[in-house]
Amino acid sequence: MTQEEIIAQADRYLMRTYGRFPLALVRGEGAYVWDAAGNRYLDFVSGLAVNSLGHCHPQVVEAIRAQAGLLMHCSNLYHIEPQVRLARLLVENSALDRVFFCNSGAEAVEAAIKLARKHAKQRHGPDRFEIITALKSFHGRTLAAVTATGQPRYHQGFEPLPAGFRYVPFNDLEALRAAVGEHTCAVMLEPVQGEGGVNVAHPDYLRGVRRLCDEQGLLLILDEVQAGLGRTGRRFAHEHYGITPDILTLAKALGGGFPIGAALAREEVAAAFSPGDHASTFGGNPLACAAAEAAVGLIFADGFLEQVLRVAGHFRTRLAALQDRFPVVREVRGLGLLIGAELSAGIGKAVLGRCQERGLLINCIGEDILRFIPPLTVTETEVDAAVDILSAALAEEGEE
Ligand SMILES: *Cc1c(COP(=O)(O)O)cnc(C)c1O
């Protein structure tokens, strides 16, 4: 099909849940994708932080090919070696002890919510169920995950929402302390709020939250669906803060482009789940786990994260220079290769459009925050090419 035909048929047959750009992507390699008209783009969206190893990383492709010909699916009624291998890789590289596999970020969050509630009921009695989350957070679109999401616009039209969630401003420890009540069982936060605007938790805040949770007997759930697995230049974002969560959610980058999610927990917390308490038909299936084992193995390999931090440093230096040149760039923030540039004057979408015309895909949050989530394998040369395009787009926008 031509690009126009694909777009026309999407309009005819798909539910209108997405506002899409008029591009149909057909092929990807490394940091580049091609549309159906044959145009090439430098991809600094990376499938929204999914393609951390770039498109079609050969080792991930080979792992999928090999597993697809061996056993694609068999159900969790049976033991599955690729699932065990992936769980061991995650546990041995984290402070968590056990893993539940699912298929997406929202499902990982659902598992975390159910586990926290079950744990609290067993430990503290029937009245402890409330989970405090942050405003501007994002935890997914299933009914419980969207309720956990501290953005009212995502709730509208879907009421009644599940009970037991409460919201506080991010990076405000006193507000959190004041919100803890007799029903509270857990606090759930993103170390870096991705979808909510690339807001980085202050070190004192996250450490204070950990201390508060310990004092009050609350579980700390960290949602690292976006920020985890190398995105910030560490295996997990919380490593920057010197703290560990009780429950950790992962997804996006986990499968190297293949859908898979996970909720990890400390032994004592994980023990709240007994056989039959939670399940997923596809969760941890052999194909997804084989892809993820290859992907995570690459991210955790010697030297990989050092390179991420090097390229991220170079990117930040180039963006700082851009900020000096264009007053419209108000702030550049982020951690590792999860970077936001806040613009003024509501020109974010226009700048994105100009970048796209020049062959660079970026993401825009709201009207003003450009989000850059390139593959972790991006080179300094590719970063330079992206910043040059962004610079030209900003210059052009300034002339209008
Ligand atoms: C993307 C995201 C989710 C939801 O993941 P899905 O796979 O879209 O369900 C949850 N939490 C965070 C922090 C995310 O960035």
Side-chain angles (χ1 to χ4, degrees), residues 62-97:
E62 188 42 45
I64 292 173
R65 273 197 222 286
Q67 188 62 45
L70 201 59
L71 183 70
M72 223 183 281
H73 181 79
C74 71
S75 147
N76 286 303
L77 291 170
Y78 309 100
H79 291 280
I80 301 166
E81 182 181 329
Q83 193 182 102
V84 174
R85 294 161 60 110
L86 177 61
R88 188 173 67 201
L89 183 61
L90 292 171
V91 166
E92 287 181 348
N93 280 283
S94 71
L96 290 311
D97 301 309

PDB file of all heavy atoms in Angstrom, residues 62-97:
ATOM      1  N   GLU A  62      17.688 -12.148  16.105  1.00  0.00           N
ATOM      2  CA  GLU A  62      18.121 -13.549  16.065  1.00  0.00           C
ATOM      3  C   GLU A  62      17.506 -14.355  17.208  1.00  0.00           C
ATOM      4  O   GLU A  62      17.096 -15.510  17.020  1.00  0.00           O
ATOM      5  CB  GLU A  62      19.657 -13.635  16.092  1.00  0.00           C
ATOM      6  CG  GLU A  62      20.222 -15.021  15.875  1.00  0.00           C
ATOM      7  CD  GLU A  62      19.516 -15.825  14.769  1.00  0.00           C
ATOM      8  OE1 GLU A  62      19.263 -15.270  13.679  1.00  0.00           O
ATOM      9  OE2 GLU A  62      19.194 -17.022  15.004  1.00  0.00           O
ATOM     10  N   ALA A  63      17.417 -13.749  18.395  1.00  0.00           N
ATOM     11  CA  ALA A  63      16.804 -14.441  19.538  1.00  0.00           C
ATOM     12  C   ALA A  63      15.342 -14.761  19.239  1.00  0.00           C
ATOM     13  O   ALA A  63      14.855 -15.855  19.557  1.00  0.00           O
ATOM     14  CB  ALA A  63      16.918 -13.575  20.797  1.00  0.00           C
ATOM     15  N   ILE A  64      14.637 -13.813  18.612  1.00  0.00           N
ATOM     16  CA  ILE A  64      13.221 -14.028  18.269  1.00  0.00           C
ATOM     17  C   ILE A  64      13.095 -15.119  17.206  1.00  0.00           C
ATOM     18  O   ILE A  64      12.273 -16.030  17.323  1.00  0.00           O
ATOM     19  CB  ILE A  64      12.570 -12.709  17.796  1.00  0.00           C
ATOM     20  CG1 ILE A  64      12.461 -11.727  18.976  1.00  0.00           C
ATOM     21  CG2 ILE A  64      11.196 -12.957  17.180  1.00  0.00           C
ATOM     22  CD1 ILE A  64      11.990 -10.333  18.593  1.00  0.00           C
ATOM     23  N   ARG A  65      13.932 -15.029  16.158  1.00  0.00           N
ATOM     24  CA  ARG A  65      13.910 -16.051  15.097  1.00  0.00           C
ATOM     25  C   ARG A  65      14.116 -17.444  15.667  1.00  0.00           C
ATOM     26  O   ARG A  65      13.370 -18.373  15.351  1.00  0.00           O
ATOM     27  CB  ARG A  65      15.062 -15.807  14.110  1.00  0.00           C
ATOM     28  CG  ARG A  65      14.759 -14.857  12.995  1.00  0.00           C
ATOM     29  CD  ARG A  65      15.832 -15.059  11.895  1.00  0.00           C
ATOM     30  NE  ARG A  65      16.279 -13.785  11.350  1.00  0.00           N
ATOM     31  CZ  ARG A  65      15.573 -13.029  10.534  1.00  0.00           C
ATOM     32  NH1 ARG A  65      14.362 -13.394  10.178  1.00  0.00           N
ATOM     33  NH2 ARG A  65      16.047 -11.888  10.086  1.00  0.00           N
ATOM     34  N   ALA A  66      15.132 -17.590  16.529  1.00  0.00           N
ATOM     35  CA  ALA A  66      15.460 -18.905  17.066  1.00  0.00           C
ATOM     36  C   ALA A  66      14.322 -19.431  17.942  1.00  0.00           C
ATOM     37  O   ALA A  66      13.910 -20.593  17.820  1.00  0.00           O
ATOM     38  CB  ALA A  66      16.767 -18.834  17.864  1.00  0.00           C
ATOM     39  N   GLN A  67      13.791 -18.566  18.812  1.00  0.00           N
ATOM     40  CA  GLN A  67      12.741 -19.011  19.726  1.00  0.00           C
ATOM     41  C   GLN A  67      11.432 -19.283  18.979  1.00  0.00           C
ATOM     42  O   GLN A  67      10.694 -20.204  19.330  1.00  0.00           O
ATOM     43  CB  GLN A  67      12.524 -17.979  20.838  1.00  0.00           C
ATOM     44  CG  GLN A  67      11.579 -18.450  21.935  1.00  0.00           C
ATOM     45  CD  GLN A  67      12.079 -19.678  22.676  1.00  0.00           C
ATOM     46  OE1 GLN A  67      13.244 -19.757  23.043  1.00  0.00           O
ATOM     47  NE2 GLN A  67      11.202 -20.670  22.865  1.00  0.00           N
ATOM     48  N   ALA A  68      11.156 -18.486  17.936  1.00  0.00           N
ATOM     49  CA  ALA A  68       9.895 -18.655  17.181  1.00  0.00           C
ATOM     50  C   ALA A  68       9.816 -20.037  16.539  1.00  0.00           C
ATOM     51  O   ALA A  68       8.737 -20.608  16.409  1.00  0.00           O
ATOM     52  CB  ALA A  68       9.757 -17.565  16.120  1.00  0.00           C
ATOM     53  N   GLY A  69      10.962 -20.571  16.178  1.00  0.00           N
ATOM     54  CA  GLY A  69      10.978 -21.886  15.547  1.00  0.00           C
ATOM     55  C   GLY A  69      11.022 -23.033  16.539  1.00  0.00           C
ATOM     56  O   GLY A  69      11.003 -24.197  16.152  1.00  0.00           O
ATOM     57  N   LEU A  70      11.100 -22.673  17.827  1.00  0.00           N
ATOM     58  CA  LEU A  70      11.259 -23.708  18.865  1.00  0.00           C
ATOM     59  C   LEU A  70       9.974 -23.871  19.670  1.00  0.00           C
ATOM     60  O   LEU A  70       9.390 -24.960  19.754  1.00  0.00           O
ATOM     61  CB  LEU A  70      12.412 -23.273  19.784  1.00  0.00           C
ATOM     62  CG  LEU A  70      13.106 -24.314  20.627  1.00  0.00           C
ATOM     63  CD1 LEU A  70      13.703 -25.401  19.734  1.00  0.00           C
ATOM     64  CD2 LEU A  70      14.209 -23.645  21.447  1.00  0.00           C
ATOM     65  N   LEU A  71       9.522 -22.774  20.272  1.00  0.00           N
ATOM     66  CA  LEU A  71       8.293 -22.774  21.078  1.00  0.00           C
ATOM     67  C   LEU A  71       7.872 -21.320  21.248  1.00  0.00           C
ATOM     68  O   LEU A  71       8.591 -20.540  21.869  1.00  0.00           O
ATOM     69  CB  LEU A  71       8.556 -23.406  22.453  1.00  0.00           C
ATOM     70  CG  LEU A  71       7.348 -23.551  23.385  1.00  0.00           C
ATOM     71  CD1 LEU A  71       6.371 -24.608  22.873  1.00  0.00           C
ATOM     72  CD2 LEU A  71       7.799 -23.901  24.803  1.00  0.00           C
ATOM     73  N   MET A  72       6.712 -20.975  20.651  1.00  0.00           N
ATOM     74  CA  MET A  72       6.309 -19.571  20.685  1.00  0.00           C
ATOM     75  C   MET A  72       5.477 -19.267  21.912  1.00  0.00           C
ATOM     76  O   MET A  72       5.581 -18.223  22.510  1.00  0.00           O
ATOM     77  CB  MET A  72       5.504 -19.243  19.426  1.00  0.00           C
ATOM     78  CG  MET A  72       5.891 -17.925  18.822  1.00  0.00           C
ATOM     79  SD  MET A  72       4.895 -17.497  17.413  1.00  0.00           S
ATOM     80  CE  MET A  72       5.629 -18.489  16.136  1.00  0.00           C
ATOM     81  N   HIS A  73       4.636 -20.219  22.290  1.00  0.00           N
ATOM     82  CA  HIS A  73       3.764 -20.013  23.450  1.00  0.00           C
ATOM     83  C   HIS A  73       3.376 -21.360  24.020  1.00  0.00           C
ATOM     84  O   HIS A  73       3.197 -22.320  23.279  1.00  0.00           O
ATOM     85  CB  HIS A  73       2.503 -19.240  23.055  1.00  0.00           C
ATOM     86  CG  HIS A  73       1.604 -18.995  24.227  1.00  0.00           C
ATOM     87  ND1 HIS A  73       1.849 -17.988  25.132  1.00  0.00           N
ATOM     88  CD2 HIS A  73       0.510 -19.653  24.673  1.00  0.00           C
ATOM     89  CE1 HIS A  73       0.927 -18.035  26.079  1.00  0.00           C
ATOM     90  NE2 HIS A  73       0.101 -19.035  25.827  1.00  0.00           N
ATOM     91  N   CYS A  74       3.224 -21.422  25.356  1.00  0.00           N
ATOM     92  CA  CYS A  74       2.800 -22.713  25.934  1.00  0.00           C
ATOM     93  C   CYS A  74       1.990 -22.576  27.205  1.00  0.00           C
ATOM     94  O   CYS A  74       1.546 -23.569  27.757  1.00  0.00           O
ATOM     95  CB  CYS A  74       4.018 -23.593  26.196  1.00  0.00           C
ATOM     96  SG  CYS A  74       5.021 -22.998  27.563  1.00  0.00           S
ATOM     97  N   SER A  75       1.773 -21.360  27.719  1.00  0.00           N
ATOM     98  CA  SER A  75       0.977 -21.106  28.933  1.00  0.00           C
ATOM     99  C   SER A  75       1.805 -21.298  30.200  1.00  0.00           C
ATOM    100  O   SER A  75       2.714 -22.126  30.262  1.00  0.00           O
ATOM    101  CB  SER A  75      -0.261 -21.999  28.991  1.00  0.00           C
ATOM    102  OG  SER A  75      -0.584 -22.329  30.320  1.00  0.00           O
ATOM    103  N   ASN A  76       1.399 -20.550  31.205  1.00  0.00           N
ATOM    104  CA  ASN A  76       2.074 -20.628  32.507  1.00  0.00           C
ATOM    105  C   ASN A  76       1.610 -21.822  33.338  1.00  0.00           C
ATOM    106  O   ASN A  76       1.911 -21.900  34.529  1.00  0.00           O
ATOM    107  CB  ASN A  76       1.886 -19.308  33.257  1.00  0.00           C
ATOM    108  CG  ASN A  76       2.748 -18.191  32.678  1.00  0.00           C
ATOM    109  OD1 ASN A  76       3.969 -18.323  32.607  1.00  0.00           O
ATOM    110  ND2 ASN A  76       2.138 -17.124  32.220  1.00  0.00           N
ATOM    111  N   LEU A  77       0.913 -22.752  32.711  1.00  0.00           N
ATOM    112  CA  LEU A  77       0.636 -24.034  33.371  1.00  0.00           C
ATOM    113  C   LEU A  77       1.918 -24.862  33.425  1.00  0.00           C
ATOM    114  O   LEU A  77       1.999 -25.860  34.131  1.00  0.00           O
ATOM    115  CB  LEU A  77      -0.425 -24.826  32.590  1.00  0.00           C
ATOM    116  CG  LEU A  77      -1.846 -24.237  32.617  1.00  0.00           C
ATOM    117  CD1 LEU A  77      -2.728 -24.958  31.616  1.00  0.00           C
ATOM    118  CD2 LEU A  77      -2.431 -24.319  34.018  1.00  0.00           C
ATOM    119  N   TYR A  78       2.908 -24.451  32.633  1.00  0.00           N
ATOM    120  CA  TYR A  78       4.156 -25.216  32.529  1.00  0.00           C
ATOM    121  C   TYR A  78       5.353 -24.302  32.791  1.00  0.00           C
ATOM    122  O   TYR A  78       5.253 -23.093  32.693  1.00  0.00           O
ATOM    123  CB  TYR A  78       4.274 -25.835  31.126  1.00  0.00           C
ATOM    124  CG  TYR A  78       3.012 -26.576  30.767  1.00  0.00           C
ATOM    125  CD1 TYR A  78       2.056 -25.988  29.949  1.00  0.00           C
ATOM    126  CD2 TYR A  78       2.752 -27.831  31.308  1.00  0.00           C
ATOM    127  CE1 TYR A  78       0.871 -26.640  29.669  1.00  0.00           C
ATOM    128  CE2 TYR A  78       1.568 -28.496  31.034  1.00  0.00           C
ATOM    129  CZ  TYR A  78       0.624 -27.892  30.210  1.00  0.00           C
ATOM    130  OH  TYR A  78      -0.544 -28.530  29.962  1.00  0.00           O
ATOM    131  N   HIS A  79       6.475 -24.900  33.116  1.00  0.00           N
ATOM    132  CA  HIS A  79       7.709 -24.128  33.276  1.00  0.00           C
ATOM    133  C   HIS A  79       8.269 -23.774  31.910  1.00  0.00           C
ATOM    134  O   HIS A  79       8.129 -24.542  30.952  1.00  0.00           O
ATOM    135  CB  HIS A  79       8.738 -24.935  34.079  1.00  0.00           C
ATOM    136  CG  HIS A  79       8.340 -25.111  35.510  1.00  0.00           C
ATOM    137  ND1 HIS A  79       8.511 -24.129  36.450  1.00  0.00           N
ATOM    138  CD2 HIS A  79       7.737 -26.148  36.154  1.00  0.00           C
ATOM    139  CE1 HIS A  79       8.055 -24.548  37.621  1.00  0.00           C
ATOM    140  NE2 HIS A  79       7.564 -25.768  37.469  1.00  0.00           N
ATOM    141  N   ILE A  80       8.921 -22.590  31.839  1.00  0.00           N
ATOM    142  CA  ILE A  80       9.423 -22.070  30.569  1.00  0.00           C
ATOM    143  C   ILE A  80      10.859 -21.581  30.794  1.00  0.00           C
ATOM    144  O   ILE A  80      11.071 -20.636  31.548  1.00  0.00           O
ATOM    145  CB  ILE A  80       8.549 -20.878  30.097  1.00  0.00           C
ATOM    146  CG1 ILE A  80       7.077 -21.309  29.920  1.00  0.00           C
ATOM    147  CG2 ILE A  80       9.107 -20.280  28.813  1.00  0.00           C
ATOM    148  CD1 ILE A  80       6.102 -20.153  29.799  1.00  0.00           C
ATOM    149  N   GLU A  81      11.823 -22.218  30.149  1.00  0.00           N
ATOM    150  CA  GLU A  81      13.222 -21.840  30.419  1.00  0.00           C
ATOM    151  C   GLU A  81      13.527 -20.374  30.119  1.00  0.00           C
ATOM    152  O   GLU A  81      14.164 -19.703  30.940  1.00  0.00           O
ATOM    153  CB  GLU A  81      14.220 -22.752  29.669  1.00  0.00           C
ATOM    154  CG  GLU A  81      15.664 -22.366  30.017  1.00  0.00           C
ATOM    155  CD  GLU A  81      16.725 -23.207  29.303  1.00  0.00           C
ATOM    156  OE1 GLU A  81      16.456 -24.399  29.025  1.00  0.00           O
ATOM    157  OE2 GLU A  81      17.813 -22.668  29.032  1.00  0.00           O
ATOM    158  N   PRO A  82      13.094 -19.823  28.963  1.00  0.00           N
ATOM    159  CA  PRO A  82      13.434 -18.416  28.696  1.00  0.00           C
ATOM    160  C   PRO A  82      12.901 -17.470  29.780  1.00  0.00           C
ATOM    161  O   PRO A  82      13.536 -16.462  30.106  1.00  0.00           O
ATOM    162  CB  PRO A  82      12.757 -18.136  27.345  1.00  0.00           C
ATOM    163  CG  PRO A  82      12.631 -19.474  26.694  1.00  0.00           C
ATOM    164  CD  PRO A  82      12.402 -20.449  27.815  1.00  0.00           C
ATOM    165  N   GLN A  83      11.740 -17.820  30.390  1.00  0.00           N
ATOM    166  CA  GLN A  83      11.162 -16.981  31.446  1.00  0.00           C
ATOM    167  C   GLN A  83      12.041 -17.014  32.700  1.00  0.00           C
ATOM    168  O   GLN A  83      12.283 -15.991  33.338  1.00  0.00           O
ATOM    169  CB  GLN A  83       9.753 -17.495  31.765  1.00  0.00           C
ATOM    170  CG  GLN A  83       8.922 -16.548  32.598  1.00  0.00           C
ATOM    171  CD  GLN A  83       7.549 -17.122  32.915  1.00  0.00           C
ATOM    172  OE1 GLN A  83       7.307 -17.601  34.019  1.00  0.00           O
ATOM    173  NE2 GLN A  83       6.648 -17.105  31.944  1.00  0.00           N
ATOM    174  N   VAL A  84      12.516 -18.192  33.033  1.00  0.00           N
ATOM    175  CA  VAL A  84      13.377 -18.355  34.203  1.00  0.00           C
ATOM    176  C   VAL A  84      14.702 -17.616  33.998  1.00  0.00           C
ATOM    177  O   VAL A  84      15.214 -16.946  34.893  1.00  0.00           O
ATOM    178  CB  VAL A  84      13.645 -19.856  34.453  1.00  0.00           C
ATOM    179  CG1 VAL A  84      14.651 -20.053  35.561  1.00  0.00           C
ATOM    180  CG2 VAL A  84      12.347 -20.582  34.766  1.00  0.00           C
ATOM    181  N   ARG A  85      15.234 -17.746  32.788  1.00  0.00           N
ATOM    182  CA  ARG A  85      16.521 -17.083  32.491  1.00  0.00           C
ATOM    183  C   ARG A  85      16.403 -15.575  32.586  1.00  0.00           C
ATOM    184  O   ARG A  85      17.273 -14.896  33.135  1.00  0.00           O
ATOM    185  CB  ARG A  85      17.006 -17.488  31.092  1.00  0.00           C
ATOM    186  CG  ARG A  85      17.368 -18.973  31.000  1.00  0.00           C
ATOM    187  CD  ARG A  85      17.374 -19.425  29.557  1.00  0.00           C
ATOM    188  NE  ARG A  85      18.345 -18.672  28.800  1.00  0.00           N
ATOM    189  CZ  ARG A  85      19.474 -19.189  28.316  1.00  0.00           C
ATOM    190  NH1 ARG A  85      19.740 -20.467  28.516  1.00  0.00           N
ATOM    191  NH2 ARG A  85      20.293 -18.452  27.648  1.00  0.00           N
ATOM    192  N   LEU A  86      15.309 -15.023  32.051  1.00  0.00           N
ATOM    193  CA  LEU A  86      15.103 -13.577  32.110  1.00  0.00           C
ATOM    194  C   LEU A  86      14.898 -13.120  33.548  1.00  0.00           C
ATOM    195  O   LEU A  86      15.458 -12.099  33.974  1.00  0.00           O
ATOM    196  CB  LEU A  86      13.891 -13.190  31.239  1.00  0.00           C
ATOM    197  CG  LEU A  86      13.517 -11.709  31.273  1.00  0.00           C
ATOM    198  CD1 LEU A  86      14.652 -10.822  30.772  1.00  0.00           C
ATOM    199  CD2 LEU A  86      12.250 -11.470  30.448  1.00  0.00           C
ATOM    200  N   ALA A  87      14.112 -13.862  34.314  1.00  0.00           N
ATOM    201  CA  ALA A  87      13.870 -13.505  35.717  1.00  0.00           C
ATOM    202  C   ALA A  87      15.196 -13.481  36.478  1.00  0.00           C
ATOM    203  O   ALA A  87      15.470 -12.550  37.243  1.00  0.00           O
ATOM    204  CB  ALA A  87      12.899 -14.494  36.356  1.00  0.00           C
ATOM    205  N   ARG A  88      16.035 -14.503  36.243  1.00  0.00           N
ATOM    206  CA  ARG A  88      17.328 -14.555  36.937  1.00  0.00           C
ATOM    207  C   ARG A  88      18.201 -13.356  36.565  1.00  0.00           C
ATOM    208  O   ARG A  88      18.816 -12.725  37.415  1.00  0.00           O
ATOM    209  CB  ARG A  88      18.050 -15.872  36.590  1.00  0.00           C
ATOM    210  CG  ARG A  88      19.308 -16.091  37.429  1.00  0.00           C
ATOM    211  CD  ARG A  88      19.892 -17.466  37.185  1.00  0.00           C
ATOM    212  NE  ARG A  88      20.392 -17.561  35.819  1.00  0.00           N
ATOM    213  CZ  ARG A  88      20.595 -18.708  35.170  1.00  0.00           C
ATOM    214  NH1 ARG A  88      20.320 -19.870  35.755  1.00  0.00           N
ATOM    215  NH2 ARG A  88      21.064 -18.707  33.944  1.00  0.00           N
ATOM    216  N   LEU A  89      18.192 -12.999  35.284  1.00  0.00           N
ATOM    217  CA  LEU A  89      18.984 -11.847  34.822  1.00  0.00           C
ATOM    218  C   LEU A  89      18.534 -10.559  35.526  1.00  0.00           C
ATOM    219  O   LEU A  89      19.359  -9.753  35.963  1.00  0.00           O
ATOM    220  CB  LEU A  89      18.827 -11.716  33.298  1.00  0.00           C
ATOM    221  CG  LEU A  89      19.611 -10.633  32.572  1.00  0.00           C
ATOM    222  CD1 LEU A  89      21.110 -10.826  32.740  1.00  0.00           C
ATOM    223  CD2 LEU A  89      19.248 -10.633  31.069  1.00  0.00           C
ATOM    224  N   LEU A  90      17.219 -10.372  35.660  1.00  0.00           N
ATOM    225  CA  LEU A  90      16.687  -9.161  36.298  1.00  0.00           C
ATOM    226  C   LEU A  90      16.958  -9.160  37.802  1.00  0.00           C
ATOM    227  O   LEU A  90      17.349  -8.146  38.373  1.00  0.00           O
ATOM    228  CB  LEU A  90      15.182  -9.037  36.024  1.00  0.00           C
ATOM    229  CG  LEU A  90      14.807  -8.742  34.566  1.00  0.00           C
ATOM    230  CD1 LEU A  90      13.300  -8.862  34.359  1.00  0.00           C
ATOM    231  CD2 LEU A  90      15.288  -7.361  34.133  1.00  0.00           C
ATOM    232  N   VAL A  91      16.770 -10.309  38.431  1.00  0.00           N
ATOM    233  CA  VAL A  91      16.968 -10.389  39.883  1.00  0.00           C
ATOM    234  C   VAL A  91      18.447 -10.211  40.227  1.00  0.00           C
ATOM    235  O   VAL A  91      18.795  -9.468  41.149  1.00  0.00           O
ATOM    236  CB  VAL A  91      16.426 -11.736  40.426  1.00  0.00           C
ATOM    237  CG1 VAL A  91      16.921 -12.008  41.838  1.00  0.00           C
ATOM    238  CG2 VAL A  91      14.894 -11.740  40.372  1.00  0.00           C
ATOM    239  N   GLU A  92      19.319 -10.847  39.460  1.00  0.00           N
ATOM    240  CA  GLU A  92      20.758 -10.758  39.771  1.00  0.00           C
ATOM    241  C   GLU A  92      21.323  -9.369  39.518  1.00  0.00           C
ATOM    242  O   GLU A  92      22.372  -9.019  40.026  1.00  0.00           O
ATOM    243  CB  GLU A  92      21.533 -11.822  38.976  1.00  0.00           C
ATOM    244  CG  GLU A  92      21.293 -13.219  39.541  1.00  0.00           C
ATOM    245  CD  GLU A  92      22.046 -14.317  38.812  1.00  0.00           C
ATOM    246  OE1 GLU A  92      22.597 -14.058  37.716  1.00  0.00           O
ATOM    247  OE2 GLU A  92      22.061 -15.455  39.333  1.00  0.00           O
ATOM    248  N   ASN A  93      20.608  -8.566  38.739  1.00  0.00           N
ATOM    249  CA  ASN A  93      21.080  -7.211  38.455  1.00  0.00           C
ATOM    250  C   ASN A  93      20.282  -6.135  39.174  1.00  0.00           C
ATOM    251  O   ASN A  93      20.370  -4.947  38.828  1.00  0.00           O
ATOM    252  CB  ASN A  93      21.039  -6.949  36.952  1.00  0.00           C
ATOM    253  CG  ASN A  93      22.233  -7.568  36.248  1.00  0.00           C
ATOM    254  OD1 ASN A  93      23.326  -7.036  36.299  1.00  0.00           O
ATOM    255  ND2 ASN A  93      22.023  -8.728  35.650  1.00  0.00           N
ATOM    256  N   SER A  94      19.448  -6.523  40.137  1.00  0.00           N
ATOM    257  CA  SER A  94      18.649  -5.536  40.862  1.00  0.00           C
ATOM    258  C   SER A  94      18.621  -5.892  42.338  1.00  0.00           C
ATOM    259  O   SER A  94      19.159  -6.914  42.749  1.00  0.00           O
ATOM    260  CB  SER A  94      17.210  -5.513  40.317  1.00  0.00           C
ATOM    261  OG  SER A  94      16.525  -6.689  40.694  1.00  0.00           O
ATOM    262  N   ALA A  95      17.953  -5.050  43.108  1.00  0.00           N
ATOM    263  CA  ALA A  95      17.816  -5.319  44.540  1.00  0.00           C
ATOM    264  C   ALA A  95      16.514  -6.059  44.839  1.00  0.00           C
ATOM    265  O   ALA A  95      16.140  -6.226  45.990  1.00  0.00           O
ATOM    266  CB  ALA A  95      17.848  -3.997  45.309  1.00  0.00           C
ATOM    267  N   LEU A  96      15.811  -6.485  43.776  1.00  0.00           N
ATOM    268  CA  LEU A  96      14.536  -7.173  43.962  1.00  0.00           C
ATOM    269  C   LEU A  96      14.743  -8.689  43.837  1.00  0.00           C
ATOM    270  O   LEU A  96      15.749  -9.133  43.281  1.00  0.00           O
ATOM    271  CB  LEU A  96      13.512  -6.676  42.931  1.00  0.00           C
ATOM    272  CG  LEU A  96      12.968  -5.236  43.081  1.00  0.00           C
ATOM    273  CD1 LEU A  96      12.510  -4.994  44.523  1.00  0.00           C
ATOM    274  CD2 LEU A  96      13.957  -4.167  42.690  1.00  0.00           C
ATOM    275  N   ASP A  97      13.793  -9.461  44.333  1.00  0.00           N
ATOM    276  CA  ASP A  97      14.013 -10.909  44.473  1.00  0.00           C
ATOM    277  C   ASP A  97      13.180 -11.797  43.557  1.00  0.00           C
ATOM    278  O   ASP A  97      13.568 -12.929  43.267  1.00  0.00           O
ATOM    279  CB  ASP A  97      13.737 -11.326  45.918  1.00  0.00           C
ATOM    280  CG  ASP A  97      14.633 -10.585  46.895  1.00  0.00           C
ATOM    281  OD1 ASP A  97      15.857 -10.565  46.684  1.00  0.00           O
ATOM    282  OD2 ASP A  97      14.107  -9.992  47.859  1.00  0.00           O
TER     283      ASP A  97
END
